[in-house]
Amino acid sequence: MALAERRQREKDQRREDIVNAAEKLFFSRGYDNVSMDEIAGEVELSKPALYYYFKDKESLFFAVVNRGVKILRAMVEEEVKSAQANGIKIGAIATAFEKFIQKYPDYARAYFHFWSGRFDISNDKNVSPDAKEIIEFTWESYEKSLLILKKGIEEGVIRSDVSPVVVVVLNNLIATGIMNMSPYLRRFMEVHGITMEQFYLEVANLVSHMAMDNGEGNESIRERMLKWRSDRFASEQNKN
């Protein structure tokens, strides 16, 4: 048993070394500009040995993406917990994604590249275990966001004349757009004194004004939500 356990540990460590090497190359050069030959060379393995661990470059890239998803999942759980503790009804999942984009830009780019249409993941029965985890997490995030919005409609916080599904999709399109923002737009904001943190908060304010009902008391809910988001970004800055 001890020998079998040692061999499994060695196999797991070798797999980790391969993912580390692939991550380094993917992040520095982009998925399309990296070959399996180069990854094998980086980790000092023969190409057949590399294919023993990963059947193709896609499955290896998905392993890298899933590393980021595990971080993102923990961040979502942390923001949801904080929001609930502070009586915040909406915005926790979006805040987690925004902080993830800001703190882990390489993982965020890889995650959005996964969903860019570049890969055939339409049949999740034929994809790698890492890809399945990514798909399941993303779908779960959509459904959680949808439930929160539906509850907000029932409580009169979210507008009843707006489809919550559309709001979920819009939020994800905004996140994708932020991730792919042109360096010139970032420079434009910088020149005019707008930081990325301020940009995230302004976008949240705009979306909340579009989605939230104007009923009595909702303005204070919106203000508390925005204050909470601002404090969450500030706490992240203090950590750094």
Side-chain angles (χ1 to χ4, degrees):
M1 178 63 74
L3 179 60
E5 289 178 352
R6 180 168 63 83
R7 286 178 174 172
Q8 185 59 49
R9 285 197 302 270
E10 290 173 351
K11 182 179 177 181
D12 292 343
Q13 184 58 56
R14 178 54 58 90
R15 186 184 189 278
E16 189 76 4
D17 292 342
I18 293 169
V19 177
N20 286 339
E23 178 178 291
K24 176 183 175 182
L25 292 172
F26 287 144
F27 285 177
S28 63
R29 294 163 55 184
Y31 175 82
D32 290 321
N33 298 317
V34 176
S35 70
M36 289 293 271
D37 283 322
E38 291 169 318
I39 295 170
E42 182 73 21
V43 78
E44 298 182 344
L45 273 180
S46 67
K47 198 171 179 181
L50 179 60
Y51 279 110
Y52 171 77
Y53 288 91
F54 293 94
K55 68 175 184 177
D56 52 30
K57 189 172 76 165
E58 279 191 7
S59 62
L60 184 43
F61 178 69
F62 296 162
V64 173
V65 175
N66 199 25
R67 277 184 169 181
V69 164
K70 292 179 189 301
I71 295 171
L72 178 55
R73 184 188 291 276
M75 293 177 75
V76 168
E77 291 173 356
E78 180 181 353
E79 296 307 320
V80 168
K81 183 177 179 181
S82 173
Q84 291 173 343
N86 288 276
I88 303 301
K89 298 180 181 294
I90 61 173
I93 295 176
T95 299
F97 270 83
E98 290 161 3
K99 291 172 71 173
F100 177 69
I101 291 170
Q102 187 174 14
K103 189 172 183 180
Y104 301 98
D106 290 326
Y107 281 126
R109 271 188 290 271
Y111 175 75
F112 285 108
H113 190 56
F114 176 89
W115 289 111
S116 67
R118 172 69 173 75
F119 308 101
D120 182 10
I121 53 176
S122 56
N123 185 355
D124 58 9
K125 292 181 180 179
N126 295 327
V127 298
S128 70
D130 286 301
K132 286 182 180 179
E133 282 191 43
I134 298 163
I135 293 167
E136 288 170 2
F137 164 77
T138 303
W139 189 264
E140 180 184 302
S141 298
Y142 293 166
E143 292 292 348
K144 282 183 179 178
S145 298
L146 185 60
L147 286 174
I148 291 169
L149 290 167
K150 285 181 175 179
K151 186 175 181 180
I153 291 173
E154 292 174 0
E155 295 176 350
V157 176
I158 302 297
R159 288 168 52 186
S160 60
D161 62 334
V162 173
S163 167
V165 174
V166 171
V167 177
V168 172
V169 173
L170 177 61
N171 278 332
N172 280 274
L173 289 173
I174 289 172
T176 302
I178 291 173
M179 188 66 256
N180 294 312
M181 184 187 293
S182 160
Y184 295 100
L185 280 176
R186 290 178 182 267
R187 176 60 179 160
F188 177 75
M189 289 198 303
E190 181 182 329
V191 166
H192 290 278
I194 304 296
T195 64
M196 285 305 298
E197 292 86 351
Q198 184 178 349
F199 176 73
Y200 291 135
L201 294 172
E202 292 282 355
V203 169
N205 190 20
L206 287 169
V207 172
S208 68
H209 273 286
M210 287 189 293
M212 291 184 70
D213 189 86
N214 291 323
E216 183 178 352
N218 284 347
E219 184 60 34
S220 64
I221 292 175
R222 181 186 296 112
E223 289 174 357
R224 284 195 297 110
M225 183 267 288
L226 294 173
K227 174 66 165 54
W228 171 80
R229 287 171 69 102
S230 178
D231 290 344
R232 295 301 293 169
F233 276 104
S235 68
E236 194 64 44
Q237 288 294 321
N238 291 336
K239 288 181 185 177
N240 298 331

